[in-house]
Amino acid sequence: MYFIVFTGGEKNPLFDTLMADADIPGRSEVTGIIPHIPESRSKLWEFHHKRGLNRNAPAPFKGIWGKYAADAEMKVEAAAAAHPGETLALIFSNLAMVYYEPATLKRWKERYKAKLFLYLVDKHDSVYAADAVNAARKGIFDRVFTFSPEDADSFGFDLFDCYYSTPQTDGDVPVETDAFFWGTDGGRRARAESIYRQLTDAGLKVQMGICYTEITGKELSGITYNEPIPYEEVLRRAKGSRCLIDLTGYYSGGVTLRYFEAVSMGKKLLSDNKQVKNMRLYDSEQIFVPDDVDAIGEDMIAMIRKEMPAAVYNGEFSPVHLLDMCERYE
Protein backbone atom coordinates (compact mmCIF):
# COMPACT_ATOMS: atom_id res chain seq x y z
CA MET A 1 0.00 0.00 0.00
CA TYR A 2 1.32 3.44 -0.96
CA PHE A 3 -0.01 6.47 0.90
CA ILE A 4 -0.58 10.12 0.12
CA VAL A 5 -1.52 12.14 3.20
CA PHE A 6 -3.42 15.36 2.44
CA THR A 7 -3.10 17.82 5.33
CA GLY A 8 -4.50 21.12 4.01
CA GLY A 9 -1.11 22.55 4.99
CA GLU A 10 -0.94 25.11 2.18
CA LYS A 11 -3.25 27.23 4.34
CA ASN A 12 -1.46 26.39 7.58
CA PRO A 13 1.97 24.68 7.44
CA LEU A 14 1.53 23.52 11.03
CA PHE A 15 -0.49 20.57 9.76
CA ASP A 16 2.35 19.47 7.49
CA THR A 17 4.65 19.64 10.53
CA LEU A 18 2.32 17.49 12.61
CA MET A 19 2.20 14.76 9.94
CA ALA A 20 5.89 14.97 8.95
CA ASP A 21 6.73 11.50 10.33
CA ALA A 22 4.43 10.00 7.69
CA ASP A 23 6.62 11.28 4.85
CA ILE A 24 8.58 8.08 4.21
CA PRO A 25 10.35 7.61 0.85
CA GLY A 26 8.99 4.57 -0.95
CA ARG A 27 6.06 4.15 1.42
CA SER A 28 4.23 7.45 1.70
CA GLU A 29 4.24 11.17 1.09
CA VAL A 30 2.72 14.13 2.91
CA THR A 31 1.32 17.06 0.97
CA GLY A 32 -0.41 20.29 1.87
CA ILE A 33 -1.66 20.80 -1.68
CA ILE A 34 -5.20 22.15 -2.08
CA PRO A 35 -7.27 23.16 -5.12
CA HIS A 36 -6.28 26.57 -6.47
CA ILE A 37 -9.31 28.79 -7.00
CA PRO A 38 -8.96 31.75 -9.43
CA GLU A 39 -9.26 35.16 -7.80
CA SER A 40 -12.22 35.95 -10.04
CA ARG A 41 -14.21 33.09 -8.48
CA SER A 42 -12.95 33.36 -4.91
CA LYS A 43 -16.09 35.10 -3.58
CA LEU A 44 -18.34 32.37 -4.91
CA TRP A 45 -16.00 29.71 -3.50
CA GLU A 46 -16.10 31.39 -0.09
CA PHE A 47 -19.89 31.46 -0.22
CA HIS A 48 -20.10 27.78 -1.12
CA HIS A 49 -17.69 26.90 1.69
CA LYS A 50 -19.10 29.02 4.48
CA ARG A 51 -18.96 26.81 7.55
CA GLY A 52 -22.44 27.73 8.72
CA LEU A 53 -23.89 27.01 5.27
CA ASN A 54 -22.24 23.59 5.09
CA ARG A 55 -22.76 22.46 8.66
CA ASN A 56 -25.70 20.14 7.95
CA ALA A 57 -25.61 19.80 4.16
CA PRO A 58 -23.33 20.98 1.37
CA ALA A 59 -24.20 24.15 -0.52
CA PRO A 60 -26.00 23.64 -3.88
CA PHE A 61 -23.78 23.29 -6.96
CA LYS A 62 -20.71 22.91 -4.76
CA GLY A 63 -19.36 20.18 -7.04
CA ILE A 64 -18.33 22.73 -9.69
CA TRP A 65 -15.05 23.22 -7.83
CA GLY A 66 -13.69 19.74 -8.54
CA LYS A 67 -11.93 20.87 -11.72
CA TYR A 68 -9.60 23.08 -9.69
CA ALA A 69 -8.08 20.01 -8.02
CA ALA A 70 -6.19 19.10 -11.21
CA ASP A 71 -2.74 19.61 -9.63
CA ALA A 72 -3.66 17.31 -6.77
CA GLU A 73 -4.95 14.69 -9.17
CA MET A 74 -1.67 14.81 -11.08
CA LYS A 75 0.04 13.87 -7.82
CA VAL A 76 -2.36 10.98 -7.33
CA GLU A 77 -1.92 9.82 -10.94
CA ALA A 78 1.88 9.98 -10.65
CA ALA A 79 1.84 7.95 -7.42
CA ALA A 80 -0.38 5.30 -9.02
CA ALA A 81 1.99 5.04 -12.00
CA ALA A 82 5.09 4.87 -9.79
CA HIS A 83 3.69 2.10 -7.59
CA PRO A 84 2.02 -0.42 -9.90
CA GLY A 85 0.67 -3.46 -8.14
CA GLU A 86 0.25 -1.57 -4.87
CA THR A 87 -3.03 -0.29 -3.47
CA LEU A 88 -3.07 3.50 -3.46
CA ALA A 89 -4.34 4.95 -0.18
CA LEU A 90 -5.38 8.60 0.08
CA ILE A 91 -5.64 9.97 3.62
CA PHE A 92 -7.38 13.31 4.24
CA SER A 93 -7.63 15.40 7.36
CA ASN A 94 -10.91 17.19 7.99
CA LEU A 95 -8.95 20.42 7.42
CA ALA A 96 -8.00 19.32 3.90
CA MET A 97 -11.61 18.34 3.24
CA VAL A 98 -12.63 21.99 3.43
CA TYR A 99 -11.12 22.29 -0.06
CA TYR A 100 -11.93 18.95 -1.69
CA GLU A 101 -15.34 17.98 -3.04
CA PRO A 102 -16.77 14.52 -2.30
CA ALA A 103 -17.58 14.00 -5.99
CA THR A 104 -13.92 14.58 -6.88
CA LEU A 105 -12.69 12.04 -4.35
CA LYS A 106 -15.29 9.51 -5.44
CA ARG A 107 -14.03 9.84 -9.03
CA TRP A 108 -10.39 9.38 -7.90
CA LYS A 109 -11.38 6.37 -5.85
CA GLU A 110 -12.94 4.69 -8.88
CA ARG A 111 -10.33 5.76 -11.44
CA TYR A 112 -7.27 4.75 -9.40
CA LYS A 113 -8.90 1.93 -7.43
CA ALA A 114 -7.82 3.74 -4.28
CA LYS A 115 -8.69 3.35 -0.63
CA LEU A 116 -9.81 6.58 1.05
CA PHE A 117 -9.36 7.37 4.74
CA LEU A 118 -10.35 10.37 6.85
CA TYR A 119 -8.79 11.52 10.11
CA LEU A 120 -10.62 14.04 12.25
CA VAL A 121 -8.56 16.46 14.32
CA ASP A 122 -11.74 18.22 15.43
CA LYS A 123 -14.89 16.91 17.08
CA HIS A 124 -17.69 15.62 14.86
CA ASP A 125 -19.93 18.59 15.75
CA SER A 126 -17.26 21.24 15.19
CA VAL A 127 -17.77 23.63 12.27
CA TYR A 128 -14.20 22.72 11.26
CA ALA A 129 -15.31 19.14 10.63
CA ALA A 130 -18.54 19.92 8.74
CA ASP A 131 -17.23 19.34 5.19
CA ALA A 132 -15.45 16.14 6.16
CA VAL A 133 -18.47 14.80 8.01
CA ASN A 134 -20.67 15.52 4.98
CA ALA A 135 -18.25 13.54 2.80
CA ALA A 136 -18.23 10.67 5.32
CA ARG A 137 -22.03 10.57 5.25
CA LYS A 138 -21.86 10.04 1.50
CA GLY A 139 -19.78 6.88 2.04
CA ILE A 140 -16.67 8.29 0.35
CA PHE A 141 -14.25 6.96 2.96
CA ASP A 142 -13.37 3.35 3.72
CA ARG A 143 -12.63 4.25 7.35
CA VAL A 144 -12.92 7.35 9.53
CA PHE A 145 -10.56 7.92 12.46
CA THR A 146 -11.18 10.20 15.44
CA PHE A 147 -9.33 11.10 18.64
CA SER A 148 -12.67 11.38 20.48
CA PRO A 149 -14.00 8.29 22.33
CA GLU A 150 -17.47 9.85 22.37
CA ASP A 151 -17.49 10.34 18.58
CA ALA A 152 -16.12 6.85 18.03
CA ASP A 153 -18.96 5.37 20.08
CA SER A 154 -21.69 7.59 18.64
CA PHE A 155 -20.80 7.42 14.94
CA GLY A 156 -18.92 4.14 14.53
CA PHE A 157 -15.57 5.78 13.82
CA ASP A 158 -12.23 4.18 14.66
CA LEU A 159 -10.58 5.61 17.76
CA PHE A 160 -7.08 6.82 16.93
CA ASP A 161 -4.88 9.59 18.30
CA CYS A 162 -1.60 9.38 16.35
CA TYR A 163 -1.42 12.74 14.63
CA TYR A 164 1.68 14.29 16.20
CA SER A 165 5.21 14.26 14.81
CA THR A 166 7.82 15.52 17.25
CA PRO A 167 9.09 18.77 15.70
CA GLN A 168 12.81 19.40 15.65
CA THR A 169 14.18 22.57 17.26
CA ASP A 170 17.70 23.84 16.77
CA GLY A 171 20.07 23.00 19.60
CA ASP A 172 19.49 22.68 23.33
CA VAL A 173 17.37 25.29 25.06
CA PRO A 174 18.19 26.04 28.73
CA VAL A 175 15.27 25.87 31.15
CA GLU A 176 14.76 29.43 32.38
CA THR A 177 11.03 29.66 33.19
CA ASP A 178 8.70 27.66 35.40
CA ALA A 179 5.55 27.88 33.27
CA PHE A 180 4.70 28.88 29.70
CA PHE A 181 1.54 29.84 27.79
CA TRP A 182 1.27 31.56 24.43
CA GLY A 183 -1.95 31.48 22.46
CA THR A 184 -5.04 33.21 21.20
CA ASP A 185 -7.66 34.62 23.53
CA GLY A 186 -10.58 32.50 22.29
CA GLY A 187 -12.38 32.92 25.60
CA ARG A 188 -9.30 31.94 27.62
CA ARG A 189 -7.95 35.30 28.70
CA ALA A 190 -9.55 35.53 32.15
CA ARG A 191 -8.35 32.02 33.09
CA ALA A 192 -4.88 32.68 31.72
CA GLU A 193 -4.57 35.90 33.72
CA SER A 194 -5.84 34.15 36.85
CA ILE A 195 -3.21 31.42 36.48
CA TYR A 196 -0.52 34.03 35.86
CA ARG A 197 -1.42 35.85 39.10
CA GLN A 198 -1.45 32.65 41.16
CA LEU A 199 1.84 31.28 39.84
CA THR A 200 3.73 34.57 40.02
CA ASP A 201 2.34 35.28 43.50
CA ALA A 202 3.83 31.91 44.49
CA GLY A 203 7.23 33.06 43.22
CA LEU A 204 7.23 31.13 39.92
CA LYS A 205 8.63 32.66 36.76
CA VAL A 206 5.92 32.62 34.07
CA GLN A 207 6.17 33.54 30.40
CA MET A 208 2.74 34.26 28.95
CA GLY A 209 1.35 35.77 25.75
CA ILE A 210 -2.34 36.31 24.93
CA CYS A 211 -3.01 37.12 21.28
CA TYR A 212 -5.96 38.45 19.29
CA THR A 213 -7.58 39.93 22.36
CA GLU A 214 -9.21 43.29 23.00
CA ILE A 215 -7.01 45.93 24.60
CA THR A 216 -9.03 47.24 27.52
CA GLY A 217 -6.52 49.09 29.64
CA LYS A 218 -6.71 46.30 32.23
CA GLU A 219 -3.75 44.28 31.01
CA LEU A 220 -1.54 42.56 33.55
CA SER A 221 2.05 43.71 33.75
CA GLY A 222 4.33 40.85 32.74
CA ILE A 223 1.94 39.35 30.16
CA THR A 224 2.53 40.08 26.48
CA TYR A 225 -0.61 40.96 24.54
CA ASN A 226 -1.28 40.66 20.81
CA GLU A 227 2.16 39.50 19.70
CA PRO A 228 1.73 36.17 17.87
CA ILE A 229 4.84 34.05 17.40
CA PRO A 230 5.54 31.18 14.94
CA TYR A 231 4.98 27.61 16.11
CA GLU A 232 8.72 26.96 15.94
CA GLU A 233 9.23 29.74 18.50
CA VAL A 234 6.42 28.36 20.66
CA LEU A 235 8.28 25.05 20.75
CA ARG A 236 11.60 26.69 21.58
CA ARG A 237 10.09 28.57 24.51
CA ALA A 238 8.23 25.45 25.64
CA LYS A 239 11.54 23.58 25.77
CA GLY A 240 12.85 26.36 28.00
CA SER A 241 10.10 25.91 30.58
CA ARG A 242 9.35 23.33 33.26
CA CYS A 243 5.59 23.35 32.76
CA LEU A 244 3.24 24.10 29.85
CA ILE A 245 -0.15 25.69 30.45
CA ASP A 246 -3.10 24.28 28.50
CA LEU A 247 -6.46 26.07 28.40
CA THR A 248 -9.54 25.19 26.37
CA GLY A 249 -11.07 27.91 24.19
CA TYR A 250 -14.57 28.29 22.87
CA TYR A 251 -13.44 26.66 19.60
CA SER A 252 -11.75 23.69 21.29
CA GLY A 253 -13.38 20.31 21.00
CA GLY A 254 -10.62 18.04 22.16
CA VAL A 255 -7.13 17.72 23.54
CA THR A 256 -4.75 20.41 22.27
CA LEU A 257 -1.15 20.14 21.07
CA ARG A 258 0.08 21.13 24.53
CA TYR A 259 -0.61 17.59 25.74
CA PHE A 260 1.50 16.02 23.00
CA GLU A 261 4.28 18.58 23.41
CA ALA A 262 4.46 17.97 27.16
CA VAL A 263 4.55 14.19 26.77
CA SER A 264 7.14 14.19 23.97
CA MET A 265 9.38 16.80 25.64
CA GLY A 266 9.05 15.42 29.16
CA LYS A 267 7.45 18.62 30.45
CA LYS A 268 4.78 19.07 33.07
CA LEU A 269 1.34 20.19 31.97
CA LEU A 270 -1.19 22.32 33.84
CA SER A 271 -4.54 21.91 32.09
CA ASP A 272 -8.19 22.79 32.62
CA ASN A 273 -9.23 20.01 30.20
CA LYS A 274 -10.35 16.91 32.08
CA GLN A 275 -10.19 14.90 28.82
CA VAL A 276 -6.41 14.64 29.20
CA LYS A 277 -6.95 12.14 32.03
CA ASN A 278 -8.26 9.68 29.43
CA MET A 279 -5.29 10.08 27.09
CA ARG A 280 -2.58 7.49 26.62
CA LEU A 281 0.61 8.16 28.61
CA TYR A 282 -1.30 10.30 31.12
CA ASP A 283 0.61 10.50 34.40
CA SER A 284 -0.81 12.42 37.37
CA GLU A 285 2.75 13.17 38.53
CA GLN A 286 3.36 15.04 35.27
CA ILE A 287 -0.04 16.33 34.19
CA PHE A 288 -2.09 18.43 36.61
CA VAL A 289 -5.81 19.11 36.21
CA PRO A 290 -7.04 21.35 39.06
CA ASP A 291 -10.72 21.23 39.98
CA ASP A 292 -10.73 25.02 39.72
CA VAL A 293 -8.05 26.91 37.74
CA ASP A 294 -8.88 29.98 39.83
CA ALA A 295 -7.78 28.12 42.98
CA ILE A 296 -4.56 26.23 42.21
CA GLY A 297 -3.38 24.54 45.40
CA GLU A 298 0.07 24.59 46.99
CA ASP A 299 0.59 20.94 46.10
CA MET A 300 0.42 21.73 42.38
CA ILE A 301 2.71 24.72 42.82
CA ALA A 302 5.23 22.41 44.49
CA MET A 303 4.90 19.84 41.71
CA ILE A 304 5.57 22.48 39.06
CA ARG A 305 8.79 23.41 40.88
CA LYS A 306 9.88 19.78 41.10
CA GLU A 307 12.41 18.57 38.54
CA MET A 308 11.19 16.04 35.97
CA PRO A 309 13.19 12.94 35.02
CA ALA A 310 14.44 12.73 31.45
CA ALA A 311 11.70 12.27 28.86
CA VAL A 312 10.89 8.71 27.83
CA TYR A 313 8.91 9.01 24.62
CA ASN A 314 9.06 6.52 21.79
CA GLY A 315 6.88 8.14 19.16
CA GLU A 316 3.65 6.69 20.51
CA PHE A 317 1.62 9.49 18.87
CA SER A 318 3.47 9.46 15.54
CA PRO A 319 1.30 9.34 12.38
CA VAL A 320 3.43 6.41 11.24
CA HIS A 321 0.98 4.36 13.30
CA LEU A 322 -1.89 5.79 11.23
CA LEU A 323 -0.32 4.25 8.13
CA ASP A 324 0.00 0.93 9.97
CA MET A 325 -3.66 1.08 10.95
CA CYS A 326 -4.84 1.87 7.43
CA GLU A 327 -2.88 -1.08 6.05
CA ARG A 328 -5.13 -3.39 8.06
CA TYR A 329 -7.99 -2.40 5.76
CA GLU A 330 -6.23 -3.16 2.45
Side-chain angles (χ1 to χ4, degrees):
M1 189 174 270
Y2 185 80
F3 298 91
I4 304 178
V5 182
F6 291 84
T7 66
E10 273 193 23
K11 286 294 184 181
N12 188 339
L14 168 62
F15 301 112
D16 286 343
T17 299
L18 298 180
M19 299 302 287
D21 283 0
D23 199 13
I24 305 170
R27 185 187 187 195
S28 55
E29 57 190 279
V30 173
T31 179
I33 192 171
I34 59 175
H36 298 123
I37 308 302
E39 183 63 30
S40 61
R41 310 206 73 183
S42 61
K43 295 297 183 183
L44 180 59
W45 186 92
E46 289 173 2
F47 171 75
H48 270 175
H49 293 80
K50 285 176 66 174
R51 291 203 167 98
L53 183 67
N54 289 283
R55 186 176 181 90
N56 296 314
F61 309 112
K62 195 178 171 192
I64 65 173
W65 304 110
K67 64 183 179 181
Y68 296 108
D71 288 348
E73 183 169 4
M74 288 177 61
K75 183 177 286 293
V76 173
E77 185 176 21
H83 297 274
E86 290 187 67
T87 300
L88 185 62
L90 310 180
I91 305 178
F92 291 82
S93 71
N94 62 280
L95 301 162
M97 282 305 299
V98 171
Y99 308 100
Y100 287 93
E101 313 304 334
T104 300
L105 301 194
K106 183 178 181 181
R107 180 169 55 82
W108 291 0
K109 185 174 186 176
E110 294 170 352
R111 176 174 293 180
Y112 303 105
K113 297 180 174 54
K115 292 280 190 179
L116 265 63
F117 301 96
L118 172 68
Y119 67 98
L120 295 169
V121 296
D122 292 286
K123 292 273 287 182
H124 175 277
D125 293 332
S126 167
V127 293
Y128 298 102
D131 291 280
V133 168
N134 284 328
R137 286 173 180 158
K138 293 176 180 291
I140 302 299
F141 297 103
D142 293 278
R143 308 296 296 190
V144 178
F145 301 100
T146 178
F147 64 89
S148 166
E150 295 82 6
D151 286 353
D153 289 340
S154 297
F155 304 104
F157 300 155
D158 291 281
L159 184 63
F160 212 64
D161 58 2
C162 296
Y163 312 130
Y164 184 78
S165 302
T166 306
Q168 301 300 313
T169 53
D170 295 333
D172 293 329
V173 179
V175 175
E176 297 179 339
T177 60
D178 295 300
F180 172 72
F181 173 87
W182 210 281
T184 60
D185 181 341
R188 302 185 289 183
R189 176 173 170 174
R191 280 168 289 152
E193 291 177 335
S194 173
I195 290 173
Y196 183 85
R197 289 191 193 96
Q198 294 175 78
L199 299 190
T200 54
D201 286 350
L204 298 181
K205 185 176 181 180
V206 182
Q207 187 177 49
M208 180 172 288
I210 304 173
C211 305
Y212 307 109
T213 189
E214 182 181 358
I215 298 299
T216 63
K218 299 179 181 178
E219 291 71 45
L220 291 186
S221 176
I223 296 180
T224 300
Y225 293 88
N226 291 330
E227 292 187 16
I229 58 177
Y231 184 57
E232 292 77 9
E233 180 63 15
V234 170
L235 291 172
R236 192 189 69 79
R237 297 188 189 190
K239 287 184 72 173
S241 184
R242 289 184 175 82
C243 179
L244 311 185
I245 298 170
D246 172 43
L247 300 172
T248 53
Y250 58 74
Y251 48 80
S252 299
V255 175
T256 73
L257 293 180
R258 302 295 86 79
Y259 180 87
F260 301 100
E261 292 160 2
V263 169
S264 63
M265 292 182 187
K267 301 294 182 179
K268 295 163 190 165
L269 184 73
L270 175 63
S271 177
D272 69 347
N273 187 352
K274 290 181 171 54
Q275 290 187 60
V276 300
K277 292 184 176 182
N278 299 320
M279 290 291 289
R280 289 189 298 132
L281 306 187
Y282 167 77
D283 182 346
S284 61
E285 295 293 312
Q286 178 184 6
I287 298 165
F288 319 132
V289 187
D291 293 329
D292 182 357
V293 293
D294 292 320
I296 298 173
E298 293 183 2
D299 55 338
M300 287 191 180
I301 299 292
M303 291 176 77
I304 291 173
R305 285 196 174 100
K306 186 178 178 182
E307 292 296 327
M308 276 281 294
V312 179
Y313 176 69
N314 297 306
E316 284 87 348
F317 294 114
S318 170
V320 168
H321 304 303
L322 176 60
L323 307 185
D324 296 338
M325 176 66 80
C326 290
E327 282 185 333
R328 299 179 188 179
Y329 302 108
E330 185 171 6

